[in-house]
Coordinates of all heavy atoms in Angstrom, one line a residue:
M1 N 44.3 100.7 -81.8 CA 45.6 100.4 -81.5 C 46.4 101.7 -80.9 O 47.2 101.5 -80.0 CB 46.4 99.9 -82.9 CG 47.8 99.7 -82.8 SD 48.0 98.2 -82.0 CE 49.7 97.8 -82.3
L2 N 46.1 102.7 -81.5 CA 46.8 104.0 -80.9 C 46.3 104.3 -79.5 O 47.1 104.7 -78.7 CB 46.5 105.2 -81.9 CG 47.1 106.5 -81.5 CD1 48.6 106.3 -81.6 CD2 46.7 107.5 -82.5
E3 N 45.0 104.0 -79.2 CA 44.5 104.1 -77.9 C 45.3 103.3 -76.9 O 45.6 103.6 -75.8 CB 43.1 103.8 -77.8 CG 42.1 104.8 -78.5 CD 40.7 104.6 -78.4 OE1 40.4 103.7 -77.6 OE2 39.9 105.2 -79.2
Q4 N 45.5 102.0 -77.4 CA 46.2 101.0 -76.5 C 47.7 101.5 -76.3 O 48.2 101.4 -75.1 CB 46.2 99.6 -77.2 CG 46.7 98.5 -76.3 CD 46.6 97.1 -77.0 OE1 46.3 97.1 -78.2 NE2 46.9 96.2 -76.2
V5 N 48.4 102.0 -77.2 CA 49.7 102.6 -77.0 C 49.7 103.7 -76.1 O 50.6 103.8 -75.2 CB 50.3 102.9 -78.4 CG1 51.6 103.7 -78.2 CG2 50.6 101.7 -79.3
A6 N 48.7 104.6 -76.2 CA 48.6 105.8 -75.4 C 48.4 105.3 -73.9 O 49.0 105.9 -73.0 CB 47.5 106.7 -75.8
M7 N 47.5 104.3 -73.7 CA 47.2 103.8 -72.4 C 48.4 103.2 -71.8 O 48.8 103.4 -70.6 CB 46.1 102.8 -72.4 CG 45.7 102.3 -71.1 SD 44.3 101.2 -71.1 CE 43.0 102.2 -71.7
E8 N 49.2 102.4 -72.6 CA 50.4 101.8 -72.1 C 51.5 102.8 -71.7 O 52.2 102.8 -70.7 CB 50.9 100.8 -73.1 CG 52.1 100.0 -72.6 CD 51.8 99.0 -71.6 OE1 50.6 98.6 -71.4 OE2 52.8 98.6 -70.9
N9 N 51.5 103.9 -72.5 CA 52.5 104.9 -72.3 C 52.2 105.7 -71.0 O 53.0 105.9 -70.2 CB 52.4 105.9 -73.5 CG 53.6 107.0 -73.4 OD1 54.6 106.6 -72.9 ND2 53.3 108.1 -74.0
S10 N 50.9 105.9 -70.7 CA 50.4 106.5 -69.5 C 50.7 105.6 -68.3 O 51.3 106.1 -67.3 CB 49.0 106.8 -69.5 OG 48.6 107.8 -70.5
R11 N 50.5 104.3 -68.4 CA 50.9 103.4 -67.4 C 52.4 103.4 -67.0 O 52.8 103.5 -66.0 CB 50.4 102.0 -67.8 CG 50.4 101.0 -66.7 CD 50.0 99.6 -67.1 NE 50.9 99.0 -68.0 CZ 52.1 98.5 -67.7 NH1 52.5 98.5 -66.4 NH2 52.9 97.9 -68.5
L12 N 53.2 103.4 -68.1 CA 54.6 103.5 -67.9 C 55.0 104.8 -67.2 O 55.9 104.8 -66.4 CB 55.4 103.3 -69.3 CG 55.3 101.9 -69.9 CD1 55.9 101.9 -71.2 CD2 56.0 100.9 -69.0
H13 N 54.4 105.9 -67.6 CA 54.8 107.2 -67.0 C 54.5 107.1 -65.4 O 55.2 107.6 -64.6 CB 54.0 108.3 -67.6 CG 54.7 108.8 -68.9 ND1 55.9 109.5 -68.9 CD2 54.4 108.6 -70.3 CE1 56.3 109.8 -70.1 NE2 55.3 109.2 -70.9
L14 N 53.3 106.5 -65.1 CA 52.9 106.4 -63.7 C 53.9 105.5 -63.0 O 54.3 105.8 -61.8 CB 51.5 105.8 -63.6 CG 50.3 106.7 -64.0 CD1 49.0 105.9 -63.9 CD2 50.3 107.9 -63.0
C15 N 54.4 104.3 -63.6 CA 55.3 103.6 -63.0 C 56.7 104.2 -62.8 O 57.3 104.1 -61.7 CB 55.6 102.3 -63.8 SG 54.2 101.1 -63.8
I16 N 57.0 105.1 -63.7 CA 58.2 105.8 -63.7 C 58.2 106.8 -62.5 O 59.1 107.0 -61.6 CB 58.6 106.5 -65.0 CG1 59.0 105.5 -66.0 CG2 59.7 107.6 -64.8 CD1 59.1 106.1 -67.4
E17 N 57.0 107.4 -62.3 CA 56.8 108.4 -61.2 C 56.9 107.7 -59.9 O 57.6 108.2 -58.9 CB 55.6 109.2 -61.3 CG 55.5 110.2 -62.5 CD 56.7 111.2 -62.3 OE1 56.9 111.8 -61.2 OE2 57.4 111.5 -63.4
R18 N 56.3 106.5 -59.8 CA 56.3 105.8 -58.5 C 57.8 105.3 -58.2 O 58.2 105.4 -57.0 CB 55.5 104.6 -58.7 CG 54.1 104.9 -58.1 CD 53.2 103.6 -58.1 NE 52.3 103.6 -59.2 CZ 52.0 102.6 -60.0 NH1 52.5 101.4 -59.8 NH2 51.3 102.8 -61.1
L19 N 58.5 104.9 -59.3 CA 59.9 104.6 -59.0 C 60.7 105.7 -58.6 O 61.6 105.5 -57.8 CB 60.5 103.8 -60.3 CG 60.0 102.5 -60.6 CD1 60.6 102.0 -62.0 CD2 60.3 101.5 -59.5
K20 N 60.6 106.9 -59.2 CA 61.3 108.0 -58.7 C 61.0 108.4 -57.3 O 61.9 108.7 -56.5 CB 60.9 109.3 -59.6 CG 61.5 109.3 -61.0 CD 60.9 110.6 -61.7 CE 61.4 110.6 -63.1 NZ 60.8 111.8 -63.8
E21 N 59.7 108.2 -56.9 CA 59.4 108.5 -55.5 C 60.1 107.5 -54.5 O 60.5 107.9 -53.5 CB 57.8 108.5 -55.3 CG 57.1 109.6 -55.9 CD 55.6 109.4 -55.9 OE1 55.2 108.4 -55.3 OE2 54.9 110.2 -56.4
E22 N 60.2 106.2 -55.0 CA 60.8 105.2 -54.2 C 62.3 105.5 -54.1 O 62.9 105.3 -52.9 CB 60.7 103.9 -54.8 CG 59.2 103.3 -54.5 CD 59.1 101.9 -55.1 OE1 60.1 101.2 -55.1 OE2 58.0 101.5 -55.6
V23 N 62.9 106.0 -55.2 CA 64.4 106.3 -55.1 C 64.6 107.5 -54.2 O 65.6 107.4 -53.4 CB 64.9 106.7 -56.6 CG1 66.2 107.3 -56.5 CG2 64.9 105.4 -57.4
V24 N 63.7 108.5 -54.2 CA 63.9 109.7 -53.3 C 63.8 109.2 -51.8 O 64.6 109.6 -51.0 CB 62.9 110.8 -53.7 CG1 62.8 111.8 -52.6 CG2 63.2 111.4 -55.0
A25 N 62.8 108.3 -51.6 CA 62.6 107.8 -50.2 C 63.8 107.0 -49.8 O 64.3 107.2 -48.6 CB 61.3 106.9 -50.2
V26 N 64.3 106.1 -50.6 CA 65.5 105.3 -50.3 C 66.7 106.3 -50.0 O 67.4 106.0 -49.1 CB 65.8 104.3 -51.4 CG1 67.2 103.7 -51.2 CG2 64.8 103.3 -51.4
M27 N 66.9 107.3 -50.9 CA 68.1 108.2 -50.6 C 67.9 109.0 -49.3 O 68.9 109.2 -48.6 CB 68.1 109.1 -51.7 CG 68.6 108.4 -53.1 SD 68.6 109.5 -54.5 CE 70.0 110.5 -54.2
A28 N 66.7 109.4 -49.0 CA 66.5 110.1 -47.7 C 66.7 109.1 -46.5 O 67.3 109.5 -45.6 CB 65.0 110.6 -47.6
D29 N 66.3 107.9 -46.7 CA 66.5 106.9 -45.7 C 68.1 106.6 -45.5 O 68.6 106.4 -44.4 CB 65.8 105.5 -46.0 CG 65.9 104.6 -44.9 OD1 65.7 104.9 -43.7 OD2 66.2 103.3 -45.2
Q30 N 68.7 106.6 -46.6 CA 70.2 106.4 -46.6 C 70.9 107.5 -45.9 O 71.8 107.3 -45.0 CB 70.8 106.2 -48.0 CG 72.2 106.0 -48.1 CD 72.7 106.0 -49.5 OE1 72.0 106.3 -50.4 NE2 73.9 105.5 -49.8
Q31 N 70.4 108.7 -46.1 CA 71.0 109.9 -45.5 C 70.7 109.8 -43.9 O 71.6 110.0 -43.1 CB 70.5 111.2 -46.0 CG 70.9 112.4 -45.4 CD 72.4 112.6 -45.6 OE1 73.0 112.2 -46.7 NE2 73.1 113.2 -44.6
R32 N 69.5 109.5 -43.5 CA 69.2 109.4 -42.1 C 70.1 108.2 -41.4 O 70.5 108.5 -40.4 CB 67.7 109.0 -41.9 CG 66.8 110.1 -42.0 CD 65.3 109.8 -41.5 NE 64.8 108.7 -42.3 CZ 64.1 108.8 -43.5 NH1 64.0 110.1 -44.0 NH2 63.6 107.9 -44.0
R33 N 70.2 107.1 -42.2 CA 71.1 106.1 -41.6 C 72.6 106.5 -41.5 O 73.2 106.2 -40.4 CB 71.0 104.8 -42.5 CG 69.7 104.1 -42.3 CD 69.6 102.9 -43.3 NE 68.3 102.3 -43.3 CZ 68.1 101.1 -42.9 NH1 69.0 100.3 -42.6 NH2 66.8 100.7 -43.0
A34 N 73.0 107.2 -42.4 CA 74.4 107.8 -42.4 C 74.5 108.7 -41.1 O 75.5 108.7 -40.4 CB 74.8 108.5 -43.6
E35 N 73.6 109.6 -40.9 CA 73.6 110.5 -39.7 C 73.5 109.7 -38.5 O 74.2 110.0 -37.5 CB 72.4 111.5 -39.9 CG 72.5 112.4 -41.0 CD 71.3 113.3 -41.3 OE1 70.2 113.1 -40.5 OE2 71.4 114.1 -42.2
D36 N 72.7 108.7 -38.4 CA 72.6 107.9 -37.2 C 73.9 107.2 -37.0 O 74.4 107.0 -35.8 CB 71.4 106.8 -37.4 CG 70.1 107.3 -37.3 OD1 69.9 108.5 -36.9 OD2 69.1 106.7 -37.7
I37 N 74.6 106.6 -37.9 CA 75.9 106.0 -37.8 C 76.9 106.9 -37.2 O 77.6 106.6 -36.3 CB 76.4 105.4 -39.1 CG1 75.4 104.1 -39.5 CG2 77.8 105.0 -39.1 CD1 75.6 103.6 -40.9
E38 N 76.9 108.2 -37.8 CA 77.8 109.2 -37.3 C 77.6 109.5 -35.9 O 78.5 109.7 -35.1 CB 77.7 110.5 -38.2 CG 78.7 111.5 -37.8 CD 80.2 111.1 -37.8 OE1 80.5 110.3 -38.7 OE2 81.0 111.6 -37.0
A39 N 76.3 109.6 -35.6 CA 75.9 109.9 -34.1 C 76.4 108.8 -33.2 O 76.9 109.0 -32.1 CB 74.5 110.2 -33.9
L40 N 76.2 107.6 -33.6 CA 76.6 106.4 -32.8 C 78.1 106.4 -32.7 O 78.7 106.0 -31.6 CB 76.1 105.1 -33.4 CG 74.6 104.9 -33.3 CD1 74.2 103.7 -34.1 CD2 74.2 104.6 -31.8
E41 N 78.8 106.6 -33.8 CA 80.3 106.7 -33.8 C 80.8 107.8 -32.8 O 81.7 107.5 -32.0 CB 80.8 106.9 -35.2 CG 82.3 106.8 -35.2 CD 82.9 105.4 -34.9 OE1 82.1 104.4 -35.0 OE2 84.1 105.3 -34.5
T42 N 80.2 108.9 -32.8 CA 80.5 109.9 -31.9 C 80.3 109.5 -30.5 O 81.2 109.8 -29.6 CB 79.8 111.3 -32.2 OG1 80.1 111.6 -33.6 CG2 80.1 112.4 -31.3
E43 N 79.2 109.0 -30.2 CA 78.9 108.5 -28.9 C 79.9 107.4 -28.4 O 80.4 107.4 -27.3 CB 77.4 107.9 -28.8 CG 77.0 107.5 -27.5 CD 75.6 107.0 -27.4 OE1 74.9 107.0 -28.4 OE2 75.2 106.6 -26.3
R44 N 80.2 106.5 -29.4 CA 81.2 105.5 -29.0 C 82.6 106.1 -28.6 O 83.2 105.8 -27.6 CB 81.4 104.5 -30.1 CG 82.3 103.4 -29.8 CD 82.8 102.7 -31.0 NE 83.6 103.4 -32.0 CZ 84.8 103.7 -31.8 NH1 85.6 103.3 -30.8 NH2 85.5 104.4 -32.7
R45 N 83.0 107.1 -29.4 CA 84.3 107.7 -29.1 C 84.2 108.5 -27.8 O 85.2 108.4 -26.9 CB 84.6 108.8 -30.2 CG 85.3 108.1 -31.4 CD 85.9 109.2 -32.3 NE 84.9 110.2 -32.8 CZ 84.2 110.1 -33.9 NH1 84.3 109.0 -34.7 NH2 83.4 111.0 -34.3
E46 N 83.1 109.1 -27.5 CA 82.9 109.8 -26.1 C 82.9 108.8 -25.0 O 83.6 109.0 -24.0 CB 81.7 110.6 -26.2 CG 81.8 111.9 -27.1 CD 80.4 112.6 -27.2 OE1 79.4 112.0 -26.7 OE2 80.4 113.6 -27.9
L47 N 82.3 107.7 -25.1 CA 82.3 106.7 -24.2 C 83.7 106.1 -23.9 O 84.0 105.8 -22.8 CB 81.2 105.6 -24.5 CG 79.8 106.0 -24.4 CD1 78.9 104.9 -24.8 CD2 79.4 106.3 -22.9
C48 N 84.3 105.9 -25.0 CA 85.8 105.3 -24.9 C 86.6 106.3 -24.2 O 87.4 105.9 -23.3 CB 86.3 105.0 -26.3 SG 85.6 103.6 -27.0
E49 N 86.5 107.6 -24.5 CA 87.3 108.5 -23.7 C 87.0 108.6 -22.2 O 87.9 108.6 -21.5 CB 87.1 110.0 -24.4 CG 87.7 110.1 -25.7 CD 87.4 111.5 -26.4 OE1 86.8 112.3 -25.7 OE2 87.7 111.6 -27.6
L50 N 85.7 108.5 -21.9 CA 85.3 108.4 -20.6 C 85.8 107.2 -19.9 O 86.2 107.3 -18.8 CB 83.8 108.5 -20.5 CG 83.1 108.4 -19.1 CD1 83.5 109.5 -18.2 CD2 81.6 108.3 -19.2
L51 N 85.7 106.1 -20.7 CA 86.2 104.8 -20.0 C 87.8 104.8 -19.8 O 88.2 104.5 -18.7 CB 86.0 103.6 -21.0 CG 86.4 102.3 -20.7 CD1 85.9 101.7 -19.4 CD2 86.2 101.3 -21.7
L52 N 88.5 105.5 -20.7 CA 89.9 105.6 -20.5 C 90.2 106.5 -19.3 O 91.1 106.2 -18.5 CB 90.6 106.2 -21.8 CG 90.6 105.2 -23.0 CD1 91.2 105.9 -24.2 CD2 91.4 103.9 -22.6
R53 N 89.5 107.6 -19.2 CA 89.7 108.5 -18.0 C 89.4 107.8 -16.8 O 90.1 108.0 -15.8 CB 88.9 109.8 -18.2 CG 89.4 110.8 -19.1 CD 88.8 112.2 -19.0 NE 87.4 112.1 -19.2 CZ 86.7 112.3 -20.3 NH1 87.4 112.5 -21.4 NH2 85.4 112.3 -20.4
S54 N 88.3 107.1 -16.8 CA 87.9 106.3 -15.6 C 89.0 105.2 -15.2 O 89.3 105.1 -14.1 CB 86.6 105.6 -15.8 OG 85.6 106.6 -15.9
W55 N 89.5 104.6 -16.2 CA 90.5 103.6 -16.0 C 91.7 104.2 -15.5 O 92.4 103.7 -14.6 CB 90.9 102.9 -17.3 CG 90.1 101.6 -17.6 CD1 89.3 100.9 -16.7 CD2 90.0 100.9 -18.8 NE1 88.8 99.8 -17.3 CE2 89.2 99.8 -18.6 CE3 90.6 101.1 -20.0 CZ2 88.8 98.9 -19.6 CZ3 90.3 100.2 -21.0 CH2 89.4 99.1 -20.8
A56 N 92.2 105.4 -16.0 CA 93.4 106.1 -15.6 C 93.1 106.6 -14.1 O 94.1 106.3 -13.3 CB 93.6 107.3 -16.4
E57 N 92.0 107.0 -13.8 CA 91.6 107.4 -12.4 C 91.7 106.2 -11.5 O 92.3 106.2 -10.4 CB 90.3 108.1 -12.3 CG 89.9 108.6 -11.0 CD 88.5 109.2 -10.9 OE1 88.0 109.6 -12.0 OE2 87.9 109.2 -9.9
D58 N 91.1 105.1 -11.9 CA 91.1 103.9 -11.1 C 92.5 103.3 -10.9 O 92.9 102.9 -9.8 CB 90.2 102.8 -11.8 CG 90.1 101.5 -11.0 OD1 89.7 101.6 -9.8 OD2 90.4 100.5 -11.5
A59 N 93.3 103.4 -12.0 CA 94.7 103.0 -11.8 C 95.5 103.8 -10.9 O 96.3 103.3 -10.1 CB 95.4 103.0 -13.2
S60 N 95.2 105.2 -10.9 CA 96.0 106.0 -9.9 C 95.5 105.8 -8.5 O 96.3 105.9 -7.6 CB 95.8 107.5 -10.3 OG 94.4 107.9 -10.1
V61 N 94.2 105.4 -8.3 CA 93.7 105.1 -7.0 C 94.2 103.8 -6.4 O 94.5 103.7 -5.3 CB 92.1 105.3 -7.0 CG1 91.7 104.8 -5.6 CG2 91.7 106.8 -7.2
T62 N 94.2 102.9 -7.3 CA 94.5 101.4 -6.9 C 95.9 101.1 -7.3 O 96.2 99.9 -7.4 CB 93.5 100.4 -7.5 OG1 93.6 100.5 -8.9 CG2 92.1 100.7 -7.1
A63 N 96.8 102.0 -7.4 CA 98.1 101.7 -7.9 C 98.9 100.8 -6.9 O 98.7 101.0 -5.7 CB 98.9 103.1 -8.1
V64 N 99.6 99.9 -7.4 CA 100.3 99.0 -6.6 C 101.8 99.4 -6.6 O 102.4 99.6 -7.7 CB 100.2 97.6 -7.0 CG1 101.0 96.6 -6.2 CG2 98.7 97.1 -7.0
R65 N 102.5 99.6 -5.5 CA 103.9 100.0 -5.3 C 104.2 101.2 -6.1 O 105.1 101.4 -6.8 CB 104.8 98.9 -5.8 CG 104.6 97.7 -4.9 CD 105.5 96.6 -5.3 NE 105.2 95.3 -4.7 CZ 105.4 94.1 -5.2 NH1 106.1 94.0 -6.4 NH2 105.0 93.0 -4.6
G66 N 103.3 102.2 -6.2 CA 103.5 103.4 -6.8 C 103.3 103.5 -8.3 O 103.6 104.5 -9.0
S67 N 102.9 102.4 -8.8 CA 102.7 102.3 -10.3 C 101.4 102.8 -10.7 O 100.4 102.3 -10.2 CB 103.0 100.9 -10.9 OG 102.6 100.8 -12.2
S68 N 101.2 103.8 -11.5 CA 99.9 104.3 -11.9 C 99.6 103.9 -13.3 O 98.7 104.5 -14.0 CB 99.9 105.8 -11.7 OG 100.8 106.4 -12.6
R69 N 100.3 102.9 -14.0 CA 100.0 102.5 -15.3 C 98.9 101.5 -15.4 O 98.6 100.9 -14.4 CB 101.2 102.0 -15.9 CG 102.4 102.8 -16.2 CD 103.6 102.1 -16.6 NE 103.1 101.1 -17.7 CZ 103.7 100.8 -18.7 NH1 104.8 101.5 -19.0 NH2 103.2 99.9 -19.6
L70 N 98.2 101.5 -16.5 CA 97.1 100.6 -16.7 C 97.6 99.2 -16.8 O 98.9 99.0 -17.3 CB 96.3 100.9 -17.9 CG 95.4 102.1 -17.9 CD1 94.8 102.2 -19.3 CD2 94.3 101.9 -16.9
H71 N 96.9 98.1 -16.4 CA 97.3 96.8 -16.6 C 97.4 96.6 -18.1 O 96.7 97.2 -18.8 CB 96.3 95.9 -16.0 CG 96.6 94.4 -16.1 ND1 96.4 93.7 -17.2 CD2 97.2 93.6 -15.1 CE1 96.8 92.4 -17.0 NE2 97.3 92.4 -15.7
P72 N 98.5 95.8 -18.5 CA 98.7 95.6 -20.0 C 97.5 95.2 -20.7 O 97.2 95.6 -21.8 CB 99.8 94.5 -20.0 CG 100.6 94.8 -18.8 CD 99.5 95.1 -17.7
A73 N 96.7 94.3 -20.1 CA 95.4 93.8 -20.9 C 94.5 95.0 -21.0 O 93.8 95.1 -22.0 CB 94.9 92.6 -20.1
A74 N 94.3 95.8 -19.9 CA 93.4 96.9 -20.0 C 93.9 98.0 -21.0 O 93.1 98.6 -21.7 CB 93.3 97.6 -18.7
A75 N 95.2 98.1 -21.2 CA 95.8 99.0 -22.1 C 95.5 98.6 -23.5 O 95.1 99.3 -24.4 CB 97.3 99.3 -21.9
R76 N 95.6 97.2 -23.8 CA 95.3 96.7 -25.1 C 93.8 96.9 -25.4 O 93.4 97.3 -26.5 CB 95.7 95.2 -25.1 CG 97.2 95.0 -25.3 CD 97.4 93.5 -25.6 NE 96.9 92.6 -24.6 CZ 97.6 92.2 -23.6 NH1 98.8 92.6 -23.3 NH2 97.1 91.4 -22.7
C77 N 93.0 96.6 -24.4 CA 91.6 96.8 -24.5 C 91.2 98.2 -24.9 O 90.4 98.5 -25.8 CB 90.8 96.3 -23.3 SG 89.0 96.4 -23.5
A78 N 91.8 99.1 -24.2 CA 91.6 100.6 -24.5 C 92.0 100.9 -25.8 O 91.3 101.7 -26.5 CB 92.3 101.4 -23.4
A79 N 93.1 100.5 -26.3 CA 93.6 100.7 -27.6 C 92.6 100.2 -28.7 O 92.3 100.8 -29.7 CB 94.9 100.2 -27.9
R80 N 92.1 99.0 -28.5 CA 91.1 98.5 -29.4 C 89.8 99.2 -29.4 O 89.2 99.3 -30.4 CB 90.9 97.0 -29.1 CG 92.1 96.2 -29.4 CD 91.7 94.7 -29.4 NE 90.6 94.4 -30.1 CZ 90.6 93.7 -31.2 NH1 91.7 93.2 -31.7 NH2 89.5 93.5 -32.0
L81 N 89.4 99.7 -28.2 CA 88.1 100.5 -28.2 C 88.3 101.8 -29.0 O 87.4 102.3 -29.6 CB 87.8 100.7 -26.8 CG 87.2 99.6 -26.0 CD1 87.1 100.0 -24.4 CD2 85.9 99.2 -26.5
I82 N 89.5 102.4 -28.9 CA 89.7 103.7 -29.5 C 89.8 103.5 -31.0 O 89.3 104.2 -31.8 CB 91.0 104.3 -29.0 CG1 90.8 104.8 -27.6 CG2 91.4 105.5 -29.9 CD1 92.0 105.3 -26.9
N83 N 90.4 102.4 -31.5 CA 90.6 102.2 -32.9 C 90.1 100.7 -33.2 O 91.0 99.8 -33.4 CB 92.1 102.4 -33.3 CG 92.3 102.3 -34.8 OD1 91.3 102.3 -35.6 ND2 93.6 102.4 -35.2
P84 N 88.9 100.5 -33.3 CA 88.3 99.1 -33.5 C 88.7 98.5 -34.9 O 88.7 97.3 -35.1 CB 86.9 99.2 -33.4 CG 86.5 100.6 -33.7 CD 87.7 101.4 -33.3
A85 N 89.2 99.4 -35.9 CA 89.5 98.8 -37.2 C 90.9 98.2 -37.2 O 91.2 97.5 -38.2 CB 89.3 100.0 -38.2
S86 N 91.7 98.5 -36.2 CA 93.0 98.0 -36.3 C 92.9 96.4 -36.0 O 92.2 96.0 -35.2 CB 93.9 98.6 -35.2 OG 93.4 98.3 -33.9
P87 N 93.7 95.7 -36.7 CA 93.8 94.2 -36.6 C 94.4 93.9 -35.3 O 95.2 94.6 -34.7 CB 94.7 93.8 -37.8 CG 95.5 95.0 -38.1 CD 94.7 96.1 -37.7
P88 N 93.9 92.8 -34.7 CA 94.5 92.3 -33.4 C 95.9 91.9 -33.6 O 96.3 91.4 -34.6 CB 93.6 91.1 -33.0 CG 92.9 90.7 -34.2 CD 92.9 91.9 -35.1
R89 N 96.8 92.1 -32.6 CA 98.2 91.8 -32.6 C 98.2 90.2 -32.6 O 97.5 89.6 -31.8 CB 98.9 92.4 -31.5 CG 99.0 93.9 -31.7 CD 100.0 94.5 -30.7 NE 100.5 93.6 -29.7 CZ 100.8 94.0 -28.4 NH1 100.7 95.2 -28.1 NH2 101.2 93.1 -27.6
S90 N 99.2 89.7 -33.4 CA 99.2 88.2 -33.4 C 99.8 87.7 -32.1 O 99.5 86.5 -31.8 CB 100.2 87.8 -34.6 OG 101.4 88.4 -34.4
T91 N 100.5 88.4 -31.3 CA 101.1 87.9 -30.0 C 100.0 88.0 -28.9 O 100.2 87.3 -28.0 CB 102.2 88.9 -29.5 OG1 101.8 90.2 -29.5 CG2 103.4 88.7 -30.6
Q92 N 98.9 88.6 -29.2 CA 97.9 88.7 -28.2 C 96.8 87.5 -28.4 O 96.3 87.4 -29.4 CB 97.2 90.0 -28.3 CG 96.0 90.1 -27.2 CD 95.2 91.4 -27.3 OE1 95.6 92.3 -28.1 NE2 94.1 91.4 -26.7
S93 N 96.8 86.7 -27.4 CA 95.8 85.6 -27.6 C 94.4 86.1 -27.1 O 94.4 87.1 -26.2 CB 96.1 84.4 -26.8 OG 96.1 84.7 -25.4
R94 N 93.3 85.5 -27.5 CA 92.0 85.9 -27.1 C 91.8 85.7 -25.5 O 91.0 86.4 -25.0 CB 91.0 85.2 -27.8 CG 90.8 85.6 -29.3 CD 89.6 85.0 -29.9 NE 89.5 85.2 -31.3 CZ 89.0 86.3 -31.7 NH1 88.4 87.2 -31.0 NH2 88.9 86.6 -33.1
S95 N 92.6 84.8 -24.9 CA 92.4 84.6 -23.5 C 92.9 85.7 -22.7 O 92.6 85.8 -21.5 CB 93.1 83.2 -23.2 OG 94.5 83.4 -23.4
T96 N 93.8 86.5 -23.2 CA 94.4 87.7 -22.5 C 93.5 88.9 -22.6 O 93.8 90.0 -22.0 CB 95.8 88.0 -22.9 OG1 95.8 88.3 -24.3 CG2 96.7 86.8 -22.6
A97 N 92.4 88.9 -23.4 CA 91.6 90.1 -23.6 C 90.9 90.4 -22.3 O 90.5 89.5 -21.6 CB 90.5 89.8 -24.7
S98 N 90.8 91.7 -22.0 CA 90.3 92.1 -20.7 C 88.9 92.6 -20.6 O 88.4 92.9 -19.6 CB 91.3 93.2 -20.1 OG 91.2 94.3 -21.0
C99 N 88.3 92.5 -21.7 CA 86.8 93.0 -21.7 C 86.0 92.3 -22.7 O 86.6 91.6 -23.7 CB 86.7 94.5 -21.9 SG 87.0 95.1 -23.5
T100 N 84.8 92.3 -22.6 CA 83.9 91.6 -23.5 C 84.0 92.1 -25.0 O 84.0 91.2 -25.9 CB 82.4 91.8 -23.1 OG1 82.3 91.4 -21.7 CG2 81.5 90.9 -23.9
A101 N 84.2 93.4 -25.1 CA 84.3 94.0 -26.5 C 85.6 93.3 -27.2 O 85.5 93.0 -28.4 CB 84.5 95.5 -26.5
C102 N 86.7 93.2 -26.4 CA 87.9 92.6 -27.1 C 87.7 91.1 -27.3 O 88.2 90.6 -28.3 CB 89.1 92.8 -26.1 SG 89.6 94.6 -26.1
R103 N 87.1 90.4 -26.4 CA 86.8 89.0 -26.7 C 86.0 88.7 -27.8 O 86.1 87.7 -28.5 CB 86.3 88.3 -25.4 CG 87.3 88.2 -24.3 CD 86.8 87.3 -23.1 NE 85.7 88.0 -22.5 CZ 85.7 88.6 -21.3 NH1 86.9 88.5 -20.7 NH2 84.8 89.2 -20.8
R104 N 85.0 89.6 -28.2 CA 84.1 89.4 -29.3 C 84.8 89.6 -30.6 O 84.3 89.1 -31.6 CB 82.9 90.3 -29.2 CG 81.8 89.8 -28.2 CD 80.6 90.6 -28.3 NE 81.0 91.8 -27.4 CZ 80.4 92.9 -27.4 NH1 79.4 93.1 -28.2 NH2 80.6 93.9 -26.6
S105 N 85.8 90.5 -30.7 CA 86.4 90.8 -32.0 C 87.5 89.8 -32.3 O 87.9 89.0 -31.7 CB 87.0 92.2 -31.9 OG 88.0 92.2 -30.8

């Protein structure tokens, strides 16, 4: 009987060690994913800034009657790209969205 208890105890210790290893692996994977998310978010912000600069340059080149402002739909789209967590304005219908990213949200 004592041998059986000792064997079961050893088996449980092995299971505990395996579970600890799995927890460490999951935590490392979670850290890697968090770093990947941060890298993607940084890249998204940089691309949005580049897009806004390009839009501003395009607006200044293609300005009509001396107006260098972005088209209102493009400005709304740019604002949503910069801050995607902001809720859409109730006055803006989906049909006025000027890019695919805005239409999807």
